[in-house]
Every structure is written in structure tokens, then in C-alpha cells.
Amino acid sequence: MKNFLIADSENLHIIGLKQTLKKFVKKSNLTVVGSKDELITHLEKNTVEYLIIDPNNIFLFYDDDFKQLRLNSPNCKIIILSYFKNKQTISSFLKENIDGFISKDCQEQTIFDALYKIENGERYLCPKILNLLVDVLISPASDLKEKLTFRESEILKQIAKGNDGKSIASDLFISIHTFRTHRKNIMKKTGRHTTPELILYAIDRKII
């Protein structure tokens, strides 16, 4: 039995999400909270495997609260189900190790894909959010252009699109070893050590 906690105050979306979860997760316990106090209290008193939250619809819920949720419930998978509004929203996703970010206007199948990947230890960005991210992040700033070679910029764009190393190497007709070398150089030049940190670097450099 999987325990799901839905934190939202938009009734139509809650109804649709509950129907979707019941369809894809046969054995599940679904609880809905509509306020920050209810959310914190429920997490303190109950074991929750999945928290699906729209932070924009929880009164007085701030991005910094994700850090506290992660500290208090380290084993709970946290999924943001909302709309991409600004860089701060995605910054929280990257900084606080949120497990998934899904747009509210996604297809039902996207929910299933997200749960499958997250259950298997991966993080998940739905295609719509990924496309929006690519639009705002892959246009390199002038100082980033000076640091990265043309090939490194190509690889950075591919990584930002969510492509894995093997597919990037195949698309660019290079070996996986060469790809790893380029990725290592990109991280070294930008002073970042992971892909999420690299994306945050782009945000901090005011690319968006």
C-alpha cells in the first residue's frame, strides 16, 4: 500500500489527480490537505511515500519550506505538480532535491511515467517543463560562450534537453569516452559538479 499525500487547494485538479492515481496505482491510500499547517501535521503523524504538491496553491508555503520538508521527511518522494512560472520555482526543484516536476496540463501518462522513474531512483521533469527549461537555459551568455568550445556548447544543450550520454554520443558521432571528457571539462570550466548545479549556474548567471 502506497501512501500518497496531495497538497493542493484547486478542487478540479485534485479530483482529476485522484482518479489518475487510482487508475495507475492499484493499492494506494490518498489523503488531501489544503493548507501548510495540515501538510506539516500530516507528515509529522503519518508515513507518506509520495507528496504531490502545488506550492502555488498552498497559502504561506514558500520555496524554503521544501528544505524543511526534506529534512523532516527524508524518505518521502516529493513531486511538484504545478505550472512553470519563474526561475525560482525551478531553482527550488534543483536545490532541494525535489524528485519530480510535472506541469498541470500534462497527459495522464506523464503521471505514470514520473511515478515509474521516481520509484526506480530517478528524478523526473515532464516534457513540457523540459522544453520550457531548454528555451530559457540553453541560450548561452557571452561569458559562458567564451569559456565553452562549440562542441561543449552542443553537449550542454543536449544535456539540458534531458538526453543521456549514449544518445548524445551517438547524435554527435563521438565515443562515450569523448562525451564524458567533454562533460568533465564543462563542469570544470563552470565550477560545477553535477548537471543540476550546471543548470543553476546558468540561472545565477542571469541567462534567464
Side-chain angles (χ1 to χ4, degrees):
M1 178 73 73
K2 295 287 185 183
N3 293 314
F4 285 81
L5 179 61
I6 300 170
D8 200 339
S9 58
E10 199 169 355
N11 288 331
L12 285 178
H13 280 291
I14 292 170
I15 293 170
L17 178 58
K18 290 174 72 174
Q19 291 176 343
T20 299
L21 289 174
K22 288 177 180 178
K23 182 186 298 185
F24 289 127
V25 185
K26 300 304 179 185
K27 295 182 179 180
S28 62
N29 179 37
L30 306 178
T31 303
V32 178
V33 295
S35 71
K36 181 177 175 179
D37 288 342
E38 289 177 320
L39 169 62
I40 294 172
T41 299
H42 187 87
L43 287 173
E44 287 175 347
K45 295 182 177 181
N46 301 275
T47 298
V48 175
E49 279 83 20
Y50 285 90
L51 167 62
I52 302 178
I53 180 172
D54 185 345
N56 297 314
N57 286 341
I58 300 298
F59 185 59
L60 295 179
F61 188 95
Y62 302 105
D63 289 327
D64 288 344
D65 290 323
F66 281 118
K67 183 180 294 183
Q68 195 61 45
L69 289 182
R70 179 55 71 202
L71 288 173
N72 294 342
S73 304
N75 297 320
C76 177
K77 305 293 187 184
I78 301 176
I79 301 172
I80 296 175
L81 181 62
S82 188
Y83 295 106
F84 182 95
K85 289 191 173 182
N86 52 50
K87 70 177 184 180
Q88 188 61 34
T89 307
I90 198 63
S91 178
S92 294
F93 171 82
L94 297 169
K95 283 181 178 178
E96 309 305 341
N97 291 319
I98 306 302
D99 298 281
F101 195 146
I102 306 170
S103 175
K104 270 192 169 177
D105 55 357
C106 71
Q107 300 296 316
E108 272 193 342
Q109 183 63 35
T110 305
I111 303 289
F112 173 78
D113 293 341
L115 292 175
Y116 179 81
K117 286 184 177 291
I118 293 169
E119 184 70 20
N120 286 279
E122 300 180 46
R123 299 175 78 191
Y124 184 84
L125 279 171
C126 79
K128 288 192 175 184
I129 298 296
L130 263 179
N131 288 336
L132 288 167
L133 271 177
V134 169
D135 287 343
V136 297
L137 294 179
I138 65 174
S139 300
S142 57
D143 57 339
L144 190 58
K145 270 185 174 179
E146 293 171 1
K147 288 186 176 183
L148 299 181
T149 66
F150 176 76
R151 178 64 85 186
E152 288 166 350
S153 294
E154 282 186 311
I155 290 173
L156 175 58
K157 290 177 183 180
Q158 294 269 17
I159 291 173
K161 290 178 181 177
N163 296 330
D164 60 28
K166 288 184 179 179
S167 63
I168 294 173
S170 176
D171 288 346
L172 299 180
F173 302 102
I174 59 177
S175 68
I176 188 66
H177 175 73
T178 300
F179 162 77
R180 288 170 180 162
T181 300
H182 281 306
R183 184 179 61 184
K184 182 179 179 181
N185 289 338
I186 293 169
M187 296 299 179
K188 184 177 180 180
K189 288 180 178 181
T190 59
R192 299 299 184 267
H193 306 288
T194 66
T195 300
E197 287 180 355
L198 184 59
I199 296 175
L200 270 182
Y201 171 85
I203 294 174
D204 291 338
R205 302 295 286 185
K206 303 187 186 305
I207 291 175
I208 58 175

